[in-house]
Amino acid sequence: MSGLQASIDKMRRDDVGDAAVQAFADAYERLQEGETGVLPESDLEPVDTVPDADELPGGDDTAGGALDHAVVIKLNGGLGTSMGMTGPKSLVEVKDGLTFLDIIVRQVLGLRERTGARLPLVLMNSFSTREPSLEALGRYEDIEADVPLDFLQNKVPKLLADELEPVEWPDDPDLEWAPPGHGDLYTALVTSGMLDELLERDYRYAFVSNADNLGAVLEPRILAWMAHDEVPFVMEVADRTEADRKGGHVARRREGDGLILREIAQTPDEDVDAFQDTSRHRFFNTNTLWVDLEALRALLDERDGVLGLPMIVNRKTVDPSDKASPEVIQLETAMGAAIGVFDGARAVRVARRRFAPVKTTSDLLALRSDAYVLTDEFRVEPAEGREGPPVVDLDDAHYKLLADFEARFPSGPPSLVDCERLTVRGDVLFGADVVVRGAVAVEHDGDGRLHIEDGTVLEG
């Protein structure tokens, strides 16, 4: 039996939907044919200008009526395993006693109240996040809409790197499976029946973002522009800084004038310097997208149900915690890569305030601090006078895991509103009402734990 057939059989035994099986088979066959997913610099042209969201025509709060046909989709499959968590990252307390999900719900309900639009909130969950997330949503009776509150992302078999056979790992069969990247969004909308249900209920525009990016709030001005110009797909991009050198950027192929997305995993080693050159590739993908669902349905029908997104070949070990376990390949796609398959797709430049992701405890400290404020409309924005967050770099040995991080800030975050950079090396506990100004490095290489006393002011 071929590796592909064995993989298909495995997926069907686990009731993976037909559209997901088709998408996996398409990627597998491209891998067999020698496709690597690599996008060399020699094939690309930089993108110099894109429309600026702040310069788009103004519109009312209902986006010319389009808001009543819009849905907010939040990617909510993450468990925060990089921070040592076992539950949904979206249920972590992040600001003023509220979790990511609490704030997202309040953002959506506030827009509904101000505009009278239907505006459903829909989560793309994983099996691991579904139950606790829906339980948390259950506290908000008003969040119910005329479509389900969630749909499930798919899973694909990990493949042995040499044989391209689905791996078997009896010690923990769950490790035989991998998420297929957030490009699975489009397939999961189909396999769950959510795409058909949204279209039947006359929803046309999906605003899609990660649940851990509270800066991504539906902006009626962008929706009005998209609807008026009949743009099938929009990617929000922001100016790249040194902090974004590893983030995927938009470019154009030398042959063809459409936009594409290139991730670091798709870049040959010899082109990494060009990839990270922020003056050459100026705009990075914030992973906040706008999708015309009617255009998505038409494209899927045209392509026999498979978008054929550029493939990312992710090489890992079957047990990520055991580097001696067999090497495997995970076939993944990025949802932003759909910018290369929709004819007429556009990018729009947005302010940095719309990008505030939390991937590490360093990000979490900045967001919890007074460097960010929670507005009356439940937008999380940089405090007055700030363009963006301070750069926070906490020692992984002591702060990487959420429980260790919480133990070292028992009275909450220090004041960072006047901070440019905070670097912490060693085991340091922060007392209450600590203030950090300018660029500060706290280093402790001795035994035990350094205690910064309550009310201490740290200046560079």
Side-chain angles (χ1 to χ4, degrees):
M1 182 185 299
S2 72
L4 175 55
Q5 189 58 53
S7 299
I8 289 173
D9 292 346
K10 183 183 182 83
M11 295 174 81
R12 287 191 168 139
R13 284 196 300 272
D14 262 54
D15 296 324
V16 177
D18 287 344
V21 174
Q22 283 180 277
F24 174 83
D26 174 72
Y28 188 104
E29 287 168 351
R30 285 189 279 151
L31 179 68
Q32 272 191 319
E33 291 166 3
E35 186 175 325
T36 61
V38 169
L39 292 170
E41 188 70 20
S42 58
D43 289 353
L44 305 180
E45 293 279 4
V47 173
D48 294 323
T49 59
V50 297
D52 193 309
D54 289 339
E55 296 175 2
L56 296 176
D60 60 24
D61 284 346
T62 69
L67 189 65
D68 202 44
H69 303 280
V71 54
V72 173
I73 298 177
K74 294 289 181 177
L75 306 191
N76 190 53
L79 290 174
T81 51
S82 63
M83 294 192 288
M85 296 171 52
T86 57
K89 187 201 289 190
S90 62
L91 300 187
V92 171
E93 183 180 317
V94 65
K95 195 74 182 167
D96 297 355
L98 301 173
T99 67
F100 290 97
L101 199 54
D102 288 328
I103 293 173
I104 289 166
V105 169
R106 285 165 166 78
Q107 289 171 348
V108 172
L109 291 178
L111 257 174
R112 283 189 195 171
E113 184 176 344
R114 291 193 299 276
T115 64
R118 295 179 293 170
L119 197 62
L121 170 65
V122 175
L123 305 180
M124 183 169 86
N125 278 318
S126 65
F127 285 100
S128 301
T129 62
R130 181 175 219 176
E131 187 174 335
S133 297
L134 291 180
E135 182 179 343
L137 283 183
R139 298 197 296 270
Y140 297 94
E141 292 182 6
D142 293 347
I143 202 61
E144 294 282 351
D146 55 355
V147 294
L149 287 169
D150 83 323
F151 61 102
L152 281 176
Q153 68 183 44
N154 292 298
K155 59 182 181 179
V156 295
K158 296 178 183 178
L159 302 172
L160 289 169
D162 294 330
E163 297 90 347
L164 298 186
E165 298 275 348
V167 70
E168 294 185 9
W169 200 245
D171 289 348
D172 188 352
D174 286 346
L175 291 177
E176 298 174 7
W177 298 91
H182 41 62
D184 179 55
L185 165 72
Y186 312 105
T187 306
L189 281 168
V190 174
T191 55
S192 65
M194 180 62 77
L195 178 58
D196 287 339
E197 185 144 9
L198 288 169
L199 289 171
E200 286 170 8
R201 300 282 186 181
D202 201 22
Y203 292 105
R204 180 170 179 179
Y205 306 102
F207 173 68
V208 186
S209 61
N210 293 325
D212 67 5
N213 178 14
L214 292 175
V217 181
L218 189 149
E219 173 51 61
R221 174 179 289 204
I222 298 176
L223 176 59
W225 166 70
M226 177 189 187
H228 179 271
D229 287 12
E230 298 185 347
V231 183
F233 182 95
V234 177
M235 173 190 289
E236 294 191 17
V237 299
D239 294 340
R240 286 176 102 201
T241 67
E242 287 300 300
D244 313 306
R245 292 168 68 235
K246 295 183 179 179
H249 67 77
V250 289
R252 285 189 175 88
R253 293 189 186 274
R254 289 190 187 275
E255 298 180 4
D257 57 1
L259 296 173
I260 63 167
L261 170 68
R262 180 170 67 164
E263 303 280 1
I264 187 72
Q266 296 170 293
T267 306
D269 291 343
E270 62 270 21
D271 290 338
V272 168
D273 286 346
F275 176 95
Q276 295 184 342
D277 184 346
T278 58
S279 63
R280 176 173 174 79
H281 295 295
R282 294 180 49 202
F283 304 109
F284 75 94
N285 169 30
T286 66
N287 225 33
T288 297
L289 309 175
W290 302 75
V291 184
D292 182 328
L293 297 176
E294 291 183 3
L296 173 61
R297 166 51 72 197
L299 191 58
L300 285 166
D301 290 345
E302 177 187 318
R303 295 184 170 214
D304 296 325
V306 178
L307 285 185
L309 298 179
M311 179 175 55
I312 300 172
V313 179
N314 201 342
R315 295 181 180 273
K316 297 192 174 185
T317 53
V318 63
D319 183 348
S321 66
D322 181 3
K323 299 307 177 186
S325 62
E327 184 182 358
V328 295
I329 284 174
Q330 297 176 196
L331 296 180
E332 302 177 6
T333 57
M335 70 178 185
I339 198 170
V341 300
F342 281 91
D343 187 24
R346 306 284 298 274
V348 63
R349 178 177 177 264
V350 297
R352 191 77 186 198
R353 65 179 179 272
R354 288 184 63 79
F355 185 67
V358 174
K359 305 301 181 187
T360 65
T361 54
S362 295
D363 298 332
L364 183 60
L365 183 69
L367 199 59
R368 282 184 176 178
S369 79
D370 57 2
Y372 280 97
V373 296
L374 189 63
T375 72
D376 292 341
E377 295 181 355
F378 292 95
R379 291 176 179 262
V380 175
E381 297 181 346
E384 186 175 356
R386 295 199 63 97
E387 291 297 318
V391 177
V392 177
D393 182 8
L394 302 177
D395 191 335
D396 276 355
H398 302 285
Y399 298 89
K400 181 177 181 178
L401 304 182
L402 185 63
D404 294 340
F405 165 84
E406 300 278 18
R408 287 162 177 80
F409 295 98
S411 301
S415 170
L416 300 180
V417 68
D418 295 317
C419 173
E420 297 169 16
R421 175 184 291 269
L422 171 63
T423 303
V424 181
R425 293 290 175 264
D427 190 356
V428 181
L429 184 146
F430 286 72
D433 303 318
V434 173
V435 177
V436 182
R437 296 178 183 150
V440 170
V442 180
E443 298 185 4
H444 173 58
D445 56 7
D447 295 333
R449 180 178 293 173
L450 174 66
H451 186 184
I452 296 179
E453 299 297 331
D454 296 355
T456 300
V457 177
L458 301 173
E459 298 190 76

PDB file of all heavy atoms in Angstrom, residues 210-223:
ATOM      1  N   ASN A 210      -6.359  35.864  14.661  1.00  0.00           N
ATOM      2  CA  ASN A 210      -5.999  34.982  15.767  1.00  0.00           C
ATOM      3  C   ASN A 210      -6.622  35.474  17.066  1.00  0.00           C
ATOM      4  O   ASN A 210      -6.663  36.682  17.325  1.00  0.00           O
ATOM      5  CB  ASN A 210      -4.474  34.934  15.942  1.00  0.00           C
ATOM      6  CG  ASN A 210      -3.777  34.272  14.778  1.00  0.00           C
ATOM      7  OD1 ASN A 210      -4.305  33.339  14.186  1.00  0.00           O
ATOM      8  ND2 ASN A 210      -2.587  34.747  14.441  1.00  0.00           N
ATOM      9  N   ALA A 211      -7.060  34.541  17.891  1.00  0.00           N
ATOM     10  CA  ALA A 211      -7.676  34.918  19.162  1.00  0.00           C
ATOM     11  C   ALA A 211      -6.687  35.623  20.087  1.00  0.00           C
ATOM     12  O   ALA A 211      -7.105  36.376  20.973  1.00  0.00           O
ATOM     13  CB  ALA A 211      -8.245  33.678  19.858  1.00  0.00           C
ATOM     14  N   ASP A 212      -5.389  35.408  19.894  1.00  0.00           N
ATOM     15  CA  ASP A 212      -4.415  36.033  20.797  1.00  0.00           C
ATOM     16  C   ASP A 212      -3.959  37.407  20.314  1.00  0.00           C
ATOM     17  O   ASP A 212      -3.047  37.994  20.881  1.00  0.00           O
ATOM     18  CB  ASP A 212      -3.205  35.116  21.020  1.00  0.00           C
ATOM     19  CG  ASP A 212      -2.356  34.907  19.770  1.00  0.00           C
ATOM     20  OD1 ASP A 212      -2.635  35.534  18.734  1.00  0.00           O
ATOM     21  OD2 ASP A 212      -1.411  34.101  19.840  1.00  0.00           O
ATOM     22  N   ASN A 213      -4.588  37.938  19.260  1.00  0.00           N
ATOM     23  CA  ASN A 213      -4.262  39.288  18.772  1.00  0.00           C
ATOM     24  C   ASN A 213      -5.445  40.213  19.028  1.00  0.00           C
ATOM     25  O   ASN A 213      -6.340  40.351  18.197  1.00  0.00           O
ATOM     26  CB  ASN A 213      -3.925  39.261  17.277  1.00  0.00           C
ATOM     27  CG  ASN A 213      -3.629  40.653  16.731  1.00  0.00           C
ATOM     28  OD1 ASN A 213      -3.415  41.595  17.489  1.00  0.00           O
ATOM     29  ND2 ASN A 213      -3.636  40.774  15.419  1.00  0.00           N
ATOM     30  N   LEU A 214      -5.445  40.850  20.185  1.00  0.00           N
ATOM     31  CA  LEU A 214      -6.581  41.684  20.568  1.00  0.00           C
ATOM     32  C   LEU A 214      -6.592  43.032  19.853  1.00  0.00           C
ATOM     33  O   LEU A 214      -7.566  43.768  19.942  1.00  0.00           O
ATOM     34  CB  LEU A 214      -6.581  41.887  22.085  1.00  0.00           C
ATOM     35  CG  LEU A 214      -6.876  40.617  22.897  1.00  0.00           C
ATOM     36  CD1 LEU A 214      -6.725  40.890  24.386  1.00  0.00           C
ATOM     37  CD2 LEU A 214      -8.267  40.087  22.599  1.00  0.00           C
ATOM     38  N   GLY A 215      -5.529  43.333  19.110  1.00  0.00           N
ATOM     39  CA  GLY A 215      -5.543  44.542  18.297  1.00  0.00           C
ATOM     40  C   GLY A 215      -6.396  44.390  17.050  1.00  0.00           C
ATOM     41  O   GLY A 215      -6.767  45.388  16.419  1.00  0.00           O
ATOM     42  N   ALA A 216      -6.711  43.148  16.693  1.00  0.00           N
ATOM     43  CA  ALA A 216      -7.475  42.874  15.468  1.00  0.00           C
ATOM     44  C   ALA A 216      -8.968  42.976  15.761  1.00  0.00           C
ATOM     45  O   ALA A 216      -9.600  42.004  16.195  1.00  0.00           O
ATOM     46  CB  ALA A 216      -7.124  41.491  14.932  1.00  0.00           C
ATOM     47  N   VAL A 217      -9.522  44.147  15.536  1.00  0.00           N
ATOM     48  CA  VAL A 217     -10.946  44.404  15.739  1.00  0.00           C
ATOM     49  C   VAL A 217     -11.547  44.766  14.382  1.00  0.00           C
ATOM     50  O   VAL A 217     -10.926  45.490  13.596  1.00  0.00           O
ATOM     51  CB  VAL A 217     -11.158  45.562  16.734  1.00  0.00           C
ATOM     52  CG1 VAL A 217     -12.642  45.811  16.953  1.00  0.00           C
ATOM     53  CG2 VAL A 217     -10.461  45.261  18.054  1.00  0.00           C
ATOM     54  N   LEU A 218     -12.751  44.278  14.096  1.00  0.00           N
ATOM     55  CA  LEU A 218     -13.380  44.557  12.820  1.00  0.00           C
ATOM     56  C   LEU A 218     -13.462  46.062  12.588  1.00  0.00           C
ATOM     57  O   LEU A 218     -14.007  46.792  13.417  1.00  0.00           O
ATOM     58  CB  LEU A 218     -14.768  43.929  12.766  1.00  0.00           C
ATOM     59  CG  LEU A 218     -15.468  43.965  11.397  1.00  0.00           C
ATOM     60  CD1 LEU A 218     -16.388  42.759  11.234  1.00  0.00           C
ATOM     61  CD2 LEU A 218     -16.254  45.244  11.188  1.00  0.00           C
ATOM     62  N   GLU A 219     -12.915  46.519  11.452  1.00  0.00           N
ATOM     63  CA  GLU A 219     -12.876  47.936  11.101  1.00  0.00           C
ATOM     64  C   GLU A 219     -13.841  48.186   9.941  1.00  0.00           C
ATOM     65  O   GLU A 219     -13.591  47.767   8.809  1.00  0.00           O
ATOM     66  CB  GLU A 219     -11.449  48.333  10.715  1.00  0.00           C
ATOM     67  CG  GLU A 219     -11.299  49.736  10.170  1.00  0.00           C
ATOM     68  CD  GLU A 219     -11.927  50.794  11.061  1.00  0.00           C
ATOM     69  OE1 GLU A 219     -11.494  50.918  12.230  1.00  0.00           O
ATOM     70  OE2 GLU A 219     -12.866  51.465  10.591  1.00  0.00           O
ATOM     71  N   PRO A 220     -14.977  48.857  10.191  1.00  0.00           N
ATOM     72  CA  PRO A 220     -15.972  49.060   9.131  1.00  0.00           C
ATOM     73  C   PRO A 220     -15.420  49.739   7.884  1.00  0.00           C
ATOM     74  O   PRO A 220     -15.882  49.474   6.772  1.00  0.00           O
ATOM     75  CB  PRO A 220     -17.042  49.919   9.818  1.00  0.00           C
ATOM     76  CG  PRO A 220     -16.940  49.553  11.267  1.00  0.00           C
ATOM     77  CD  PRO A 220     -15.476  49.339  11.504  1.00  0.00           C
ATOM     78  N   ARG A 221     -14.427  50.606   8.036  1.00  0.00           N
ATOM     79  CA  ARG A 221     -13.882  51.310   6.872  1.00  0.00           C
ATOM     80  C   ARG A 221     -13.255  50.314   5.884  1.00  0.00           C
ATOM     81  O   ARG A 221     -13.435  50.441   4.670  1.00  0.00           O
ATOM     82  CB  ARG A 221     -12.839  52.330   7.328  1.00  0.00           C
ATOM     83  CG  ARG A 221     -12.127  53.011   6.162  1.00  0.00           C
ATOM     84  CD  ARG A 221     -11.114  54.021   6.649  1.00  0.00           C
ATOM     85  NE  ARG A 221     -11.762  55.180   7.228  1.00  0.00           N
ATOM     86  CZ  ARG A 221     -11.194  56.388   7.318  1.00  0.00           C
ATOM     87  NH1 ARG A 221      -9.979  56.571   6.844  1.00  0.00           N
ATOM     88  NH2 ARG A 221     -11.838  57.400   7.854  1.00  0.00           N
ATOM     89  N   ILE A 222     -12.517  49.328   6.395  1.00  0.00           N
ATOM     90  CA  ILE A 222     -11.902  48.335   5.510  1.00  0.00           C
ATOM     91  C   ILE A 222     -12.983  47.476   4.868  1.00  0.00           C
ATOM     92  O   ILE A 222     -12.933  47.173   3.672  1.00  0.00           O
ATOM     93  CB  ILE A 222     -10.900  47.454   6.291  1.00  0.00           C
ATOM     94  CG1 ILE A 222      -9.764  48.318   6.852  1.00  0.00           C
ATOM     95  CG2 ILE A 222     -10.333  46.357   5.387  1.00  0.00           C
ATOM     96  CD1 ILE A 222      -8.775  47.563   7.720  1.00  0.00           C
ATOM     97  N   LEU A 223     -14.004  47.117   5.652  1.00  0.00           N
ATOM     98  CA  LEU A 223     -15.102  46.311   5.114  1.00  0.00           C
ATOM     99  C   LEU A 223     -15.843  47.061   4.011  1.00  0.00           C
ATOM    100  O   LEU A 223     -16.169  46.476   2.958  1.00  0.00           O
ATOM    101  CB  LEU A 223     -16.062  45.926   6.247  1.00  0.00           C
ATOM    102  CG  LEU A 223     -17.327  45.165   5.830  1.00  0.00           C
ATOM    103  CD1 LEU A 223     -16.978  43.863   5.117  1.00  0.00           C
ATOM    104  CD2 LEU A 223     -18.205  44.900   7.055  1.00  0.00           C
TER     105      LEU A 223
END
